[in-house]
Amino acid sequence: MKFLIAIGSKEYSEPTLRIGMRVAKAFKASVTICYVGPKVSAFSSNVVRLAQENLERWEMELPGVDVLEWAFNFLAAREYITPNIIETGFQKNMLIQSSGSRSELLLQGTMCKDVRLILRSGDIIDELRDEVAQNKYDVTIIGGSQKRRMAHDLVQFIDSSIFVVNKFDYAMRYGLLVPVNDSKSTPKAVKYAVRVAQAFDIPVDLVTASRKEEFGESYKNASDRAATMMRRSGIEHRQHFKVGEADEVIKKMAGDDHIVVMGSSTKNPVKKFFFGSKQIRVMTDAPFPILIVK
Amino acid sequence: MEVRNQLSSNLIYWVSRNIWLIIASIFGILFYFIPAPAGLSIEGWRTIIIAVIALILIVTEPIPLPGIAFIIIILQVYFGVADANSVSKAFMNDAVFFIMGSLMLAVAIIQQGWDARIALGIIRLTGSSTTRIAFGFSTIAAILSSFIGEHTVAAIMLPIGLTLIRFTSEDKEQTTQLSALILFSIAYGCLIGSIGTPSGGGRNVIMMIYWKEYGVEPLSYWRWMVYVYPLVLLQLPLLAWVLRSTFKPEFSRLDSGVRRLKVQVARSGKITDQQKLAAFLFLVVFIGWVFLSETFGLGIIAITGVVLYIVTDLVKWEDINKHVNWGVIILFGAAISLGVQIKNSGAAHWLANIVLNSMGDEWLNIPIVTDSIIILLTTTMANLLSSSATVAVLGPVILNLPGDAIHTGLVATIVSAFGYFTAVAAPACTIVYSCGLLRSKDFLRAGWKMGTISIGLILVYANVYWRFLQ
């Protein structure tokens, strides 16, 4: 499996990187850590590049390289990269420009073969979408954003599962909340939930929400199948059947002490864009980390 | 189903990224069929439609700049505003040559490694006092950008400023105010200086082209300097005061940084023959601009400089080709051709009349009122678009306003350089912003003060000092 972890700054990206690496380890995934620098107006793009080349002549770091160096040190401190790479240290001159605005530094990992550090610049959604399309990542991990539109665009346009590490508190004892129903996306979400629960060693709440008082057979079966999978994986779990709008039920049950893992919407993308989806509504207001499995 | 969803997803993505292109297209189609307002020819009406489409696209950049440029060009022909030959004639002129030459000279000059010499020069003049160093940075940036283009100077001076900051403290948290002070001194110094001579920026040359179009004898290189350079010198101490009052640096002296910078500069060795030749060639270009630009044009002389740099092997064509933004050149060509049609179609006259009628003739006969309108329009647009594009589009309208064309044109050109408010308003601001040490709100913090002072100053300056020159 391939994971993409998008980081923004040293100050705010530590939880994203820490949680991202932990989940990636559970999946034994190869990891790419990506910093996307701000978009430069097309009017000034060439002169900015010229100025940055001049900075390199003065042995000055390009913007974003310090963030990648911080990520390197993070990986080194937790031994996610091999001892010989740690000993060599962060070599910024090893950042190789692989295309227009993309530079890459390849490291040898300990939990998987490859760990890549990537530097990009431009609109974050465009850049992540392009990175995912080019390298076929399974999961994109990103920190929470204050921009409501960001959640919508991530779910709508990035063609991989999305894990948004919203407001993660190390002191908190989290549970895992997994909404299950009879949709096609649920089985994959449950599989991912198993790995995440194992990675964090936390109990799982399986919640099935229905607008009606009566729960159909398909809903009950979906919940039972998920429960069976949890039991076989040795994960402590509980089944819940709640009446109400799914997104409201999920937000209420998740509170601020759950990591939510849910399947992606099976709605037509056009409908999803104009009318939203349960996933987008949950993610937009989520005060908790949320993984949407595609 | 999967394929259909993928196609829908791609379509939605395209729509969301190109929403402004779609809005501009719908606007264009709708207004194309609306009859022209009374007093305006159909060509003039359609030229205004194209100008609005161009402004929407330039501000939002949904597609690359050359794409926007080609839309401007083809719409002029398809809308029947002008035939293909007259559009292409207006497309290429001395201003476009100048912008092209200026961008190419920037590549050639930056590669010469003059930055180390400049660093040494600034430090020798200022010593280690933070305030004096900041003043030194803005003054040198202003003087240089008067002649060689603000983006070139910003690119040259950025590493000097950053090196000094880094040598003062490796911890960025301890130098946030110092960083802002130094970087804004560079960026705003470049903006202030860029108005000083015709070769300071593409917008200056565009206005000279428009003066010729309107049958007005343009200012010579010297005459421009006599009109504008005192304003540059007046703004510099005000800039120092604004920045000093906005950003209180953490260090009052930068002894350690200066000492280490000197060591770094010393490593670059003595001035080389190549650097001497490069400086000499630039001097030749400068002399050409001063004494020969009225005969040959600023653009032709800039391109002559490029040729000299190429034939003397001071710069490789591959480097020029790689670093010059051809999209910007094509866009300015297109914007100028649109500007010419705005004048020829009568749209400029009609738009100017709207301003006249809304204000009343008695008000507009007071120069300071006309100046205020020009300043409002130009500063707003220049902070959203680029300064050159603003002058290219607004220039013909402004020259139709009452008053001396040299006065109104010069005011518009000068205030188009007041891109203090946003990081995207001018290449010099974008360059310092791109190093990651400034926040966008820093531009507003310092920008509103500098903008207000500069606007007040130009109103007084233009209506007092220029009167003595006429």
Side-chain angles (χ1 to χ4, degrees):
Chain A
M1 289 188 87
K2 293 169 83 173
F3 278 36
L4 174 68
I5 304 176
I7 54 173
S9 66
K10 290 183 265 190
E11 293 79 20
Y12 301 111
S13 293
E14 214 249 329
T16 312
L17 194 51
R18 191 191 277 212
I19 304 304
M21 289 307 294
R22 209 160 146 186
V23 176
K25 191 177 177 183
F27 283 85
K28 295 189 174 61
S30 64
V31 175
T32 298
I33 297 166
C34 179
Y35 169 82
V36 180
K39 186 181 177 183
V40 174
S41 156
F43 275 101
S44 307
S45 57
N46 281 47
V47 288
V48 167
R49 203 173 309 140
L50 204 54
Q52 292 184 341
E53 284 182 16
N54 205 28
L55 284 181
E56 283 179 318
R57 274 198 285 274
W58 279 70
E59 295 170 4
M60 300 290 298
E61 276 172 6
L62 293 181
V65 173
D66 57 334
V67 183
L68 291 191
E69 186 171 6
W70 164 80
F72 177 93
N73 292 333
F74 175 93
L75 298 173
R78 286 158 184 80
E79 296 179 346
Y80 283 121
I81 46 180
T82 56
N84 58 330
I85 296 277
I86 296 171
E87 201 173 312
T88 315
F90 181 73
Q91 304 284 315
K92 64 181 172 195
N93 52 350
M94 297 289 280
L95 262 172
I96 294 162
Q97 192 173 5
S98 48
S99 65
S101 70
R102 184 183 189 273
S103 301
E104 173 178 330
L105 175 62
L106 181 62
L107 308 169
Q108 264 190 322
T110 49
M111 64 178 196
C112 58
K113 197 176 159 200
D114 294 339
V115 178
R116 281 186 170 80
L117 300 177
I118 303 278
L119 192 61
R120 276 178 169 265
S121 62
D123 176 83
I124 186 149
I125 297 293
D126 290 345
E127 294 301 315
L128 292 182
R129 180 182 157 90
D130 185 54
E131 182 68 29
V132 169
Q134 276 186 21
N135 296 291
K136 310 282 177 226
Y137 294 100
D138 298 287
V139 181
T140 301
I141 300 172
I142 190 165
S145 168
Q146 299 298 314
K147 295 174 191 161
R148 293 171 74 85
R149 186 77 203 164
M150 182 82 140
H152 175 276
D153 286 0
L154 279 168
V155 174
Q156 181 84 42
F157 299 131
I158 308 289
D159 195 17
S160 73
S161 299
I162 304 287
F163 188 10
V164 180
V165 185
N166 261 328
K167 297 179 182 163
F168 190 83
D169 180 357
Y170 299 118
M172 181 92 75
R173 173 73 185 154
Y174 280 93
L176 198 71
L177 183 69
V178 187
V180 286
N181 59 19
D182 59 354
S183 81
K184 280 184 198 166
S185 60
T186 292
K188 194 172 176 186
V190 173
K191 279 185 198 166
Y192 273 59
V194 168
R195 295 282 189 93
V196 176
Q198 286 169 338
F200 290 89
D201 190 21
I202 51 178
V204 173
D205 288 300
L206 299 166
V207 59
T208 304
S210 170
R211 287 196 195 107
K212 297 178 210 159
E213 294 283 342
E214 288 291 310
F215 285 81
E217 276 305 305
S218 59
Y219 272 33
K220 285 179 185 162
N221 289 342
S223 178
D224 289 343
R225 274 196 298 273
T228 308
M229 192 171 252
M230 294 295 158
R231 191 171 55 250
R232 283 182 186 161
S233 307
I235 296 165
E236 183 191 336
H237 63 280
R238 279 179 299 178
Q239 286 172 270
H240 305 268
F241 292 89
K242 301 274 179 187
V243 177
E245 289 295 332
D247 49 316
E248 290 304 323
V249 168
I250 295 164
K251 281 188 268 185
K252 195 174 171 191
M253 274 200 76
D256 59 357
D257 60 354
H258 276 85
I259 297 171
V260 173
V261 178
M262 63 194 294
S264 66
S265 167
T266 50
K267 262 188 192 171
N268 175 293
V270 179
K271 277 188 189 165
K272 206 160 53 176
F273 183 80
F274 288 107
F275 305 111
S277 69
K278 186 171 58 187
Q279 288 76 0
I280 289 172
R281 282 191 292 276
V282 173
M283 191 188 259
T284 304
D285 302 323
F288 42 77
I290 175 168
L291 170 59
I292 294 185
V293 180
K294 284 188 183 172
Chain B
M1 187 68 176
E2 187 67 21
V3 174
R4 211 172 64 187
N5 274 355
Q6 190 62 45
L7 278 174
S8 311
S9 178
N10 287 343
L11 177 68
I12 285 290
Y13 178 71
W14 184 88
V15 169
S16 76
R17 300 290 121 173
N18 290 282
I19 190 73
W20 285 105
L21 179 64
I22 295 166
I23 289 171
S25 305
I26 292 170
F27 167 84
I29 293 165
L30 282 179
F31 278 75
Y32 181 86
F33 292 105
I34 291 175
L40 180 63
S41 67
I42 191 71
E43 289 82 9
W45 174 235
R46 289 178 182 168
T47 307
I48 291 172
I49 296 171
I50 299 169
V52 175
I53 292 172
L55 292 178
I56 293 172
L57 297 181
I58 292 171
V59 171
T60 57
E61 288 184 26
I63 55 171
L65 295 184
I68 299 171
F70 295 142
I71 286 175
I72 296 171
I73 291 167
I74 60 175
L75 284 185
Q76 288 180 60
V77 179
Y78 289 149
F79 278 20
V81 170
D83 61 44
N85 279 338
S86 53
V87 171
S88 50
K89 270 182 202 158
F91 177 78
M92 191 47 90
N93 54 50
D94 193 54
V96 181
F97 278 153
F98 176 79
I99 290 164
M100 186 159 67
S102 168
L103 291 171
M104 291 177 177
L105 280 175
V107 179
I109 289 167
I110 289 168
Q111 291 194 344
Q112 305 311 318
W114 291 350
D115 30 22
R117 313 282 144 211
I118 292 168
L120 211 55
I122 293 173
I123 288 163
R124 276 189 186 146
L125 285 172
T126 61
S128 301
S129 151
T130 306
T131 311
R132 291 181 64 175
I133 285 175
F135 186 65
F137 268 102
S138 55
T139 306
I140 298 293
I143 292 169
L144 290 176
S145 66
S146 298
F147 305 104
I148 54 175
E150 51 163 292
H151 53 280
T152 317
V153 179
I156 288 174
M157 295 196 64
L158 181 65
I160 307 171
L162 290 180
T163 306
L164 193 59
I165 295 163
R166 186 183 64 176
F167 283 164
T168 301
S169 172
E170 292 279 351
D171 184 356
K172 287 178 188 169
E173 291 301 311
Q174 286 188 5
T175 53
T176 51
Q177 299 293 305
L178 176 68
S179 302
L181 179 66
I182 299 284
L183 295 176
F184 276 108
S185 296
I186 295 172
Y188 285 0
C190 287
L191 292 185
I192 288 171
S194 68
I195 61 173
T197 74
S199 61
R203 55 186 174 268
N204 306 351
V205 188
I206 292 172
M207 184 49 75
M208 291 178 98
I209 295 280
Y210 283 157
W211 278 329
K212 276 187 192 161
E213 281 279 327
Y214 276 82
V216 178
E217 183 63 31
L219 293 172
S220 68
Y221 201 94
W222 271 126
R223 192 78 180 143
W224 181 295
M225 284 183 72
V226 170
Y227 264 74
V228 183
Y229 223 89
L231 182 66
V232 174
L233 301 176
L234 280 172
Q235 277 185 288
L236 284 172
L238 293 171
L239 171 65
W241 175 77
V242 165
L243 293 182
R244 190 71 176 78
S245 63
T246 310
F247 306 107
K248 314 268 184 220
E250 296 83 356
F251 300 85
S252 60
R253 293 187 65 80
L254 306 178
D255 296 300
S256 144
V258 166
R259 203 167 43 245
R260 292 169 70 186
L261 182 61
K262 277 181 184 169
V263 174
Q264 168 109 349
V265 169
R267 272 196 236 142
S268 62
K270 287 188 174 171
I271 190 162
T272 62
D273 289 343
Q274 187 174 320
Q275 286 174 326
K276 284 179 194 165
L277 179 60
F280 172 73
L281 290 184
F282 189 78
L283 185 68
V284 170
V285 172
F286 172 66
I287 291 169
W289 276 335
V290 176
F291 295 107
L292 301 173
S293 58
E294 283 171 84
T295 313
F296 299 115
L298 288 157
I300 292 294
I301 292 166
I303 289 179
T304 308
V306 176
V307 172
L308 290 174
Y309 275 98
I310 291 173
V311 296
T312 50
D313 220 14
L314 288 168
V315 65
K316 292 195 167 22
W317 172 252
E318 290 74 23
D319 288 331
I320 290 179
N321 192 31
K322 182 181 162 196
H323 289 108
V324 166
N325 193 339
W326 298 101
V328 168
I329 296 167
I330 299 170
L331 183 69
F332 285 143
I336 293 168
S337 78
L338 182 63
V340 170
Q341 301 311 337
I342 288 174
K343 172 195 167 261
N344 290 346
S345 65
H349 185 69
W350 184 78
L351 287 168
N353 271 342
I354 289 181
V355 179
L356 290 171
N357 294 337
S358 63
M359 292 295 297
D361 285 350
E362 66 281 8
W363 282 103
L364 280 168
N365 284 330
I366 305 167
I368 211 157
V369 175
T370 321
D371 290 349
S372 302
I373 291 167
I374 294 170
I375 288 167
L376 182 72
L377 283 173
T378 315
T379 316
T380 309
M381 262 180 78
N383 276 278
L384 296 172
L385 294 171
S386 91
S387 53
S388 296
T390 299
V391 173
V393 175
L394 270 187
V397 181
I398 282 162
L399 293 182
N400 266 292
L401 290 173
D404 176 37
I406 293 287
H407 178 108
T408 52
L410 214 46
V411 168
T413 312
I414 289 169
V415 298
S416 72
F418 292 172
Y420 303 118
F421 303 92
T422 62
V424 296
C429 292
T430 311
I431 286 172
V432 297
Y433 179 66
S434 71
C435 71
L437 294 179
L438 300 175
R439 296 163 301 172
S440 25
K441 65 180 177 189
D442 290 333
F443 283 86
L444 271 181
R445 266 179 78 195
W448 79 266
K449 291 182 196 169
M450 198 56 213
T452 311
I453 290 173
S454 299
I455 286 168
L457 187 63
I458 180 72
L459 278 173
V460 177
Y461 180 88
N463 290 291
V464 176
Y465 174 62
W466 289 352
R467 292 230 170 149
F468 289 110
L469 298 178
Q470 283 165 350

